[in-house]
Amino acid sequence: MTRIDDTFARLRAAKRKAFVTYIMAGDPDVATALEVMRGLPGAGVDIIELGVPFTDPMADGATIQLAGQRALAGGMTLEKTLQMVRDFRADDNQTPIVLMGYYNPIYNRGVDRFLADATAAGVDGLIVVDLPPEEDSELCIPAQAAGLNFIRLATPTTDAKRLPTVLQNTSGFVYYVSITGITGAAAASAADVAPEVSRIQKASGLPVVVGFGINTPQAAEDIASVADGAVVGSAVVKLIGAGRPVAEVLDLVRALADGVHRG
C-alpha cells in the first residue's frame, strides 16, 4: 500500500472525493514553490502533483509551459526537484506526491538511480506523459518494482480496443484527460466525462481522477460529482505566474478543494 492507496482508501471511507493540485517545481523560484507546496495540504489538497520542468513540454498549454520556462531560467533541475520533495517530507510524511513530467530528464539521470533517489526522497508515484504502454519495460515496470505507483493517462480518444493496453500496468489511480488537446485549453463537461469515468472504473478497478479544463470551484464540484476526484493545475499556476502572494494562491486552492469535497 502506497500513500496514494492509503489516501483513496481514507477518502472512500469518508465518502469524499480526492482533490489533486499541480504546481511546477521551482516556479517562480524554489523558496516560493516550496512555500506553496507546504501550504497545499492545509488548504485541502489530498495529492500533490509536482511538475518537473522540461524544455519541450508537448502536452502542456501556455500556462504550464511558461511555468517550466521560469523554473528552468531560475536553474531548476531534476535533482533540485527531488530536494524539494525531501524538504517537504521533513514536515509532512502523509500527503502523496506524484512527479509529473517527461522521460528525458529521467533517462539522462539513469532509471535505476532516479528510482532509488525518488523513493528515498519520498515520491509516491509518477506520471510520464511521453512513455506509452509499449515502453513499459523502460520505466513503468521498474518503478512498480521500486514501490512507486505508475499513473497512466486515458483520454477521450482511448477506445475500447486501446484501453486494456493503457491500463495493463497502471496503479494508484487513472488520470482521465477530460478534453482533447493541451492543458488549460478548454472547459471540462461533467456530462461528457461521466460515462467515460464509469467505463474506465469498470475496466481498471482503480479510482479515476479527472483533469484538464477545471478552473473554478463549481467546475471542480461538477467533475468530482461524477469521478473519484479532480485535478487542477493551470488555474493555480496562472496565479503563481502572475506573482500573486502565496496566501492568495492558497485561498484559490482552498475554494477549489471545497468544491471537490462537495462533489
Side-chain angles (χ1 to χ4, degrees):
M1 291 283 285
T2 66
R3 290 186 187 92
I4 295 172
D5 299 326
D6 288 343
T7 294
F8 277 105
R10 175 174 50 79
L11 291 170
R12 192 160 45 245
K15 298 183 178 179
R16 283 163 63 96
K17 304 301 179 69
F19 180 45
V20 184
T21 295
Y22 172 99
I23 61 170
M24 178 67 72
D27 176 38
D29 54 69
V30 173
T32 303
L34 185 57
E35 185 181 356
V36 172
M37 187 178 180
R38 284 174 166 156
L40 293 177
V45 172
D46 299 299
I47 298 172
I48 296 170
E49 275 184 21
L50 186 62
V52 181
F54 181 54
T55 52
D56 188 22
M58 61 186 182
D60 296 315
T63 298
I64 304 298
Q65 286 187 25
L66 289 170
Q69 289 173 14
R70 290 190 297 268
L72 291 169
M76 199 61 184
T77 63
L78 177 56
E79 173 55 37
K80 290 180 181 178
T81 301
L82 292 174
Q83 187 59 50
M84 272 189 66
V85 176
R86 296 183 195 105
D87 292 342
F88 177 87
R89 285 284 176 239
D91 302 309
D92 186 320
N93 199 40
Q94 180 176 355
T95 306
I97 298 172
V98 176
L99 292 188
M100 184 171 187
Y102 299 83
Y103 185 47
N104 185 273
I106 297 171
Y107 177 81
N108 284 341
R109 191 178 187 86
V111 168
D112 291 344
R113 179 187 173 198
F114 166 75
L115 292 175
D117 292 346
T119 52
V123 173
D124 303 289
L126 303 175
I127 300 175
V128 183
V129 298
D130 57 347
L131 268 184
E134 288 77 10
E135 305 298 334
D136 273 358
S137 61
E138 284 281 329
L139 179 63
C140 174
I141 292 172
Q144 306 264 36
L148 296 174
N149 289 126
F150 201 88
I151 296 143
R152 193 82 69 189
L153 304 182
T155 75
T157 59
T158 306
D159 61 19
K161 182 178 179 181
R162 179 65 175 166
L163 186 61
T165 303
V166 169
L167 298 177
Q168 63 188 359
N169 289 311
T170 299
S171 65
F173 61 92
V174 180
Y175 187 134
Y176 180 68
V177 177
S178 64
I179 57 173
T180 55
I182 54 177
T183 56
S189 163
D192 293 337
V193 164
E196 292 300 298
V197 167
S198 178
R199 177 172 73 99
I200 296 166
Q201 286 170 331
K202 289 174 183 175
S204 69
L206 293 170
V208 178
V209 175
V210 177
F212 287 47
I214 304 167
N215 51 30
T216 68
Q218 186 60 57
E221 180 178 351
D222 292 345
I223 292 297
S225 72
V226 299
D228 296 299
V231 185
V232 178
S234 293
V236 175
V237 172
K238 189 174 291 185
L239 269 192
I240 294 171
R244 307 308 300 170
V246 170
E248 186 176 331
V249 174
L250 295 177
D251 283 344
L252 172 63
V253 170
R254 192 171 291 106
L256 291 161
D258 289 345
V260 171
H261 294 148
R262 287 193 301 267

